[in-house]
């Protein structure tokens, strides 16, 4: 395990890229993309999973040693989300859940009240909860306070590819959090992912940016490298932003141009 491992709920991961499975053109392409991405944790929507089906997403994950993270996609109330998480625990034998409680079908934005209610119930029920939430620093703190193992704010609406619309809020969330902060939703390309990591996110969660890319496998490789580059840049520390230029070369030893040459 690398020194700079991602730790969620006491479990360490070498990869800081969490993948989703929705939108892939085929299982074959999905499997290639997952392998190239290097992910060790991948979400599946319980409403689309049939554990008895041959040639399923679950088989792909098992074959590649990738931990399954069931999600509650499509739930609109805390009650629906809690029931879905409990069914996932029975079906998949895991108490990890990516918690999604959306407000409406048009925006797919989280419903903060139902989300917090469901998170508190599931934590009390022994789940390791990773909530998909708005980029609201106050809500992020409340989710951590009820015992969530990570915070997963959206960069922009699901599938929009608009990137991080409010980097300032991400910085506020990262500065206050004592659990991993994971960019979830909105990434469109590698630069969005690198920015999230440079802002201090612990990991990135994405699906559409890879599965709906023109070349999903190639994009998966780009995302993996962007996560690695962004993490390294964050650890290295960027230079301060300045209003005016500052020469990179020292001024000592410069020729005195006030003297006229002899020729």
């Amino acid at each position: 395990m690398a020194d700079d491992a991602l730790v969620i709920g006491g479990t360490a991961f070498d990869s800081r890229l969490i993948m989703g499975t929705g939108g892939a053109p085929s299982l074959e392409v999905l499997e290639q993309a997952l392998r190239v991405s290097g992910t060790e944790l991948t979400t599946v929507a319980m409403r689309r999973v049939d554990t008895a089906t041959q040639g399923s997403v679950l088989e792909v994950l098992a074959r590649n040693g990738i931990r399954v993270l069931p999600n509650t996609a499509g739930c609109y109330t805390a009650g629906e989300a809690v029931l879905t998480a409990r069914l996932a625990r029975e079906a998949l034998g895991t108490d990890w859940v990516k918690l999604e409680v959306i407000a409406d079908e048009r925006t797919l934005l989280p419903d903060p009240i139902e989300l917090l209610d469901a998170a508190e119930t599931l934590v009390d029920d022994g789940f390791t909860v990773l909530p998909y939430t708005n980029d609201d620093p106050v809500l992020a703190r409340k989710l951590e306070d009820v015992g969530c193992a990570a915070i997963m704010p959206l960069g922009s609406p699901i599938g929009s590819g608009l990137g991080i619309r409010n980097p300032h809020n991400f910085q506020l969330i990262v500065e206050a959090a004592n659990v991993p902060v994971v960019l979830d939703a909105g990434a469109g390309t590698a630069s969005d992912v690198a920015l999230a990591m440079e802002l201090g996110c612990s990991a990135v969660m994405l699906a559409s940016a890879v599965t709906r890319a023109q070349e999903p496998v190639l994009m998966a490789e780009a995302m993996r490298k962007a996560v690695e580059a962004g993490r390294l840049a964050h650890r290295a520390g960027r230079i301060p932003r300045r209003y005016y230029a500052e020469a990179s070369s020292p001024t000592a030893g410069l020729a005195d141009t006030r003297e006229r040459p002899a020729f």
Side-chain angles (χ1 to χ4, degrees):
M1 191 63 66
D3 293 338
D4 188 35
L6 167 68
V7 179
I8 300 176
T11 300
F13 301 90
D14 284 333
S15 172
R16 292 178 177 271
L17 180 56
I18 303 172
M19 291 287 292
T21 53
S26 69
L27 273 180
E28 290 74 19
V29 171
L30 175 64
E31 183 165 9
Q32 292 178 48
L34 292 175
R35 286 178 176 172
V36 169
S37 74
T39 187
E40 299 170 284
L41 183 63
T42 294
T43 65
V44 293
M46 285 308 298
R47 61 177 178 171
R48 292 188 285 108
V49 169
D50 181 349
T51 56
T53 301
Q54 296 295 315
S56 68
V57 171
L58 293 178
E59 286 187 349
V60 169
L61 300 185
R63 184 162 55 239
N64 291 279
I66 300 172
R67 184 172 184 147
V68 62
L69 177 61
N71 72 35
T72 61
C75 293
Y76 291 86
T77 68
E80 291 175 1
V82 169
L83 174 60
T84 302
R86 289 172 175 167
L87 291 174
R89 179 161 61 183
E90 292 295 321
L92 303 177
T94 177
D95 58 8
W96 282 45
V97 64
K98 182 194 167 192
L99 178 61
E100 295 185 25
V101 187
I102 57 175
D104 61 74
E105 191 172 351
R106 186 175 69 86
T107 66
L108 297 180
L109 293 173
D111 182 320
I113 297 172
E114 295 292 320
L115 178 69
L116 189 59
D117 186 13
E120 189 166 14
T121 299
L122 290 171
V123 169
D124 289 345
D125 205 13
F127 280 87
T128 298
V129 180
L130 290 73
Y132 160 65
T133 180
N134 296 296
D135 63 350
D136 179 349
V138 176
L139 179 58
R141 188 174 67 241
K142 290 182 179 296
L143 288 166
E144 181 179 341
D145 288 345
V146 301
C148 290
I151 305 297
M152 304 182 74
L154 58 86
S156 50
I158 292 173
S160 68
L162 292 172
I164 298 176
R165 306 305 292 172
N166 196 336
H168 179 64
N169 272 22
F170 266 74
Q171 287 182 307
L172 292 176
I173 293 171
V174 167
E175 287 174 3
N178 296 301
V179 295
V181 176
V182 182
L183 167 67
D184 184 7
T189 190
S191 56
D192 300 329
V193 168
L195 174 60
M197 300 303 293
E198 290 172 7
L199 290 171
C201 288
S202 299
V204 169
M205 158 77 211
L206 55 85
S208 299
V210 165
T211 59
R212 294 195 166 95
Q214 294 180 31
E215 298 289 345
V217 179
L218 198 59
M219 186 60 85
E221 181 180 2
M223 294 304 191
R224 174 173 60 79
K225 292 180 176 177
V227 167
E228 294 168 355
R231 178 66 180 175
L232 287 174
H234 174 70
R235 294 179 65 192
R238 63 159 296 128
I239 64 171
R241 290 181 172 86
R242 297 179 184 278
Y243 192 75
Y244 294 105
E246 182 181 73
S248 58
S249 299
T251 56
L254 288 177
D256 187 350
T257 56
R258 291 171 300 181
E259 296 182 0
R260 288 183 174 275
F263 53 86

